């Protein structure tokens, strides 16, 4: 049987894969696993619930709050807020659990459910599995005064904005920035916090109507932000995804600043202030070799994990590291939050521009990105990719030809009969050639 939870909650087509019934049953299961009666000193458990602006989030959030309340959990309904805001508010309110309705960067018809445990932490795999086993099981229903109460949590947005402003080490006076909010969860709080920090703000993608989230806007459509920054003469631009747990940036000339470059800029800033724990940055194996080379030059160690922000977070929590993230712009700063936060990342990046007096494009130049090619090979026996002698020999041959000026990575998909071949080299042509060469070997050796 397929696992219910994916790498970041439960996600799929709303009202088909992600139904009101599933949302209700999942929230009941979460309530029983995280806030069972008597488990917290006899008091009634509390949940914080939020969502992005998708139309389907309206009925799915209603189902989640109904499930929590029917299981005897009091609910604070925070409305439309970013995912990291719900994680923060779960921690702030000392709630036993939190729930976020969002499909992140996916198109509007999709939706998803993410849950947080006490402290605003994402759930471990084993906890998700226990919750899955509870879905649809019989349970004793509270009645009368024992049922949970649902209250609007209107101050949640203000608490989150205050938290962000407290985290930033300085003001942004004199900075002009364009924000693309993806018509998503940060459409209000994102621009507002920048204005309060002193920046002059132009907003695009800031008019959510329930149907337009991520539609030609946000971090997956940076061309609109690039045009807006150049047209308006802004110092920089930032783009969030639908639930604003990550961001990418654009410099004054419209050049894209990706997650690797953002992490490098923030790592150097923290390093200079003595706040980069063990002078270490945590990144995934997909981060560009240029990031690793830049950090080595600056005396910063890079620890690499499997792809996925949850693995970055696990490594950071295990060793107390302060900064980590992914090339996609999902950046985690554990001194200020328990998960990736696109708005916080954007604020820290902007503050570095202001405090250093250096344009974003110059700061981003610390990383020289090597051309990177990703080739997906479908219909293959992915489980043999690491053991097949022919594939291993081909990889070793390419690595020998690349030397220290490139890199090869073969990754099997977690959900499909697919192997991803990633090659970095000193030129786009060499990367493409080596990528296609290895893909041919994988296809020849591993085809089902």
């Amino acid at each position: 049987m397929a696992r219910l939870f994916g790498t970041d909650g439960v996600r799929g087509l709303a009202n088909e894969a992600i139904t009101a019934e599933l949302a209700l049953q999942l929230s009941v299961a979460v309530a029983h696993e995280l806030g069972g009666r008597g488990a917290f000193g006899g008091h009634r458990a509390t949940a914080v619930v939020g969502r992005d602006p998708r139309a389907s989030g309206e009925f799915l959030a209603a189902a989640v709050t109904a499930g929590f309340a029917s299981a005897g959990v009091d609910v604070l309904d925070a409305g439309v807020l970013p995912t990291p805001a719900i994680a923060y508010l779960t921690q702030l309110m000392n709630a036993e659990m939190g729930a976020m309705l969002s499909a992140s960067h996916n198109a509007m018809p999709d939706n998803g459910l993410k849950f947080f445990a006490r402290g605003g932490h994402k759930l471990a795999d084993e906890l998700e599995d226990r919750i899955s086993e509870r879905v649809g099981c019989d349970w004793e229903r509270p009645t009368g005064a024992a049922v949970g109460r649902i209250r609007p949590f209107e101050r949640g947005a203000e608490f989150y904005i205050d938290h962000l402003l407290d985290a930033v080490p300085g003001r942004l006076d004199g900075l002009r920035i364009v924000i693309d909010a993806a018509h998503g969860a940060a459409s209000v709080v994102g621009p507002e916090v920048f204005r309060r920090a002193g920046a002059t703000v132009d907003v695009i993608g800031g008019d959510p109507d329930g149907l337009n989230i991520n539609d030609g806007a946000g971090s997956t459509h940076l061309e609109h932000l690039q045009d807006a920054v150049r047209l308006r003469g802004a110092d920089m631009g930032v783009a969030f995804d639908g639930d604003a747990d990550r961001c990418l940036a654009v410099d004054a000339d419209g050049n894209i600043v990706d997650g690797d470059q953002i992490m490098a800029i923030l790592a150097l800033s923290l390093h200079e202030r003595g706040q980069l724990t063990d002078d270490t940055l945590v990144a995934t194996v997909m981060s560009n070799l240029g990031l690793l080379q830049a950090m080595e030059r600056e005396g910063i160690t890079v620890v690499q994990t499997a792809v996925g922000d949850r693995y970055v977070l696990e490594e950071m929590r295990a060793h107390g590291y302060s900064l980590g993230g992914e090339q996609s712009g999902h950046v985690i700063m554990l001194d200020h939050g328990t998960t990736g936060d696109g708005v916080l990342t954007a604020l820290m990046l902007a503050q570095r521009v202001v405090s250093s007096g250096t344009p974003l494009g110059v700061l981003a130049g610390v990383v020289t990105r090597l051309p990177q090619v990703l080739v997906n090979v479908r219909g293959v026996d992915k489980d043999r990719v690491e053991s097949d002698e022919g594939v291993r020999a081909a990889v070793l041959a390419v690595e020998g030809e690349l030397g220290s000026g490139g890199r090869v990575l073969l990754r099997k998909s977690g959900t499909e009969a697919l192997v991803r071949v990633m090659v970095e080299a000193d030129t786009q042509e060499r990367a493409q050639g080596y990528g296609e060469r290895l893909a041919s070997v994988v296809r020849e050796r591993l085809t089902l």
Side-chain angles (χ1 to χ4, degrees), residues 383-398:
D383 294 323
R384 290 197 295 118
V385 68
E386 296 173 357
S387 60
D388 185 88
E389 291 297 332
V391 172
R392 291 171 63 183
V395 169
L396 288 172
V398 170

Side-chain angles (χ1 to χ4, degrees), residues 133-149:
E133 291 171 2
R134 286 180 177 268
V135 171
C137 292
D138 292 334
W139 52 287
E140 182 181 351
R141 299 170 185 269
T143 58
V147 301
R149 305 297 297 272

Side-chain angles (χ1 to χ4, degrees), residues 268-317:
L268 289 175
S269 178
L270 291 172
H271 180 64
E272 289 178 9
R273 303 201 305 267
Q275 297 174 356
L276 185 65
T277 304
D278 292 341
D279 291 326
T280 297
L281 169 68
V282 182
T284 76
V285 293
M286 286 301 291
S287 274
N288 195 279
L289 181 59
L291 172 65
L292 279 62
Q293 294 171 339
M295 293 298 92
E296 184 178 12
R297 289 194 303 269
E298 300 294 336
I300 295 173
T301 300
V302 179
V303 173
Q304 291 185 278
T305 73
V307 176
D309 67 284
R310 68 186 304 156
Y311 303 112
V312 173
L313 184 56
E314 286 174 5
E315 182 71 18
M316 293 177 68
R317 291 182 65 187

Side-chain angles (χ1 to χ4, degrees), residues 49-301:
V49 176
R51 63 181 181 88
D52 70 24
R54 293 167 208 265
S56 60
E58 297 168 5
F59 75 80
L60 289 172
V64 167
T65 55
F68 280 145
S70 70
V73 175
D74 287 338
V75 178
L76 297 174
D77 184 359
V80 175
L81 281 178
T83 290
I86 301 306
Y88 169 71
L89 293 172
T90 299
Q91 178 187 46
L92 178 71
M93 303 306 293
N94 198 28
E96 282 75 16
M97 65 206 80
M100 177 69 185
L101 285 300
S102 178
S104 189
H105 60 279
N106 286 25
M108 182 278 294
D110 286 349
N111 215 321
L113 298 97
K114 304 179 187 181
F115 294 100
F116 298 99
R118 182 188 283 274
H121 298 291
K122 290 187 175 181
L123 309 184
D125 287 349
E126 56 271 21
L127 181 53
E128 289 179 340
D129 290 340
R130 292 204 304 270
I131 290 168
S132 298
E133 291 171 2
R134 286 180 177 268
V135 171
C137 292
D138 292 334
W139 52 287
E140 182 181 351
R141 299 170 185 269
T143 58
V147 301
R149 305 297 297 272
I150 301 171
R151 304 193 307 275
F153 190 20
E154 296 169 349
R155 296 186 63 193
E158 283 296 321
F159 288 148
Y160 176 57
I161 289 172
D162 288 344
H163 157 68
L164 293 173
L165 291 173
D166 287 344
V168 183
R171 289 186 56 79
L172 305 180
D173 299 289
L175 183 79
R176 180 163 190 172
I177 187 169
V178 179
I179 295 176
D180 186 343
H183 300 302
S187 293
V188 175
V189 296
E192 179 62 20
V193 73
F194 270 89
R195 292 188 186 103
R196 294 192 193 182
T200 299
V201 181
D202 293 315
V203 183
I204 62 175
D207 299 300
D209 61 10
L211 306 177
N212 60 359
I213 188 170
N214 299 320
D215 186 9
S219 59
T220 54
H221 298 278
L222 289 174
E223 63 274 11
H224 303 299
L225 180 63
Q226 292 173 290
D227 290 343
V229 168
R230 287 190 292 252
L231 180 64
R232 304 180 192 195
D235 299 301
M236 60 180 290
V238 293
F240 307 128
D241 61 342
D243 69 335
D245 63 353
R246 62 187 176 98
C247 86
L248 295 176
V250 167
D251 70 16
D253 294 322
N255 300 308
I256 294 172
V257 179
D258 70 9
D260 285 340
Q261 293 168 301
I262 291 171
M263 285 190 290
I265 294 168
L266 297 183
L268 289 175
S269 178
L270 291 172
H271 180 64
E272 289 178 9
R273 303 201 305 267
Q275 297 174 356
L276 185 65
T277 304
D278 292 341
D279 291 326
T280 297
L281 169 68
V282 182
T284 76
V285 293
M286 286 301 291
S287 274
N288 195 279
L289 181 59
L291 172 65
L292 279 62
Q293 294 171 339
M295 293 298 92
E296 184 178 12
R297 289 194 303 269
E298 300 294 336
I300 295 173
T301 300

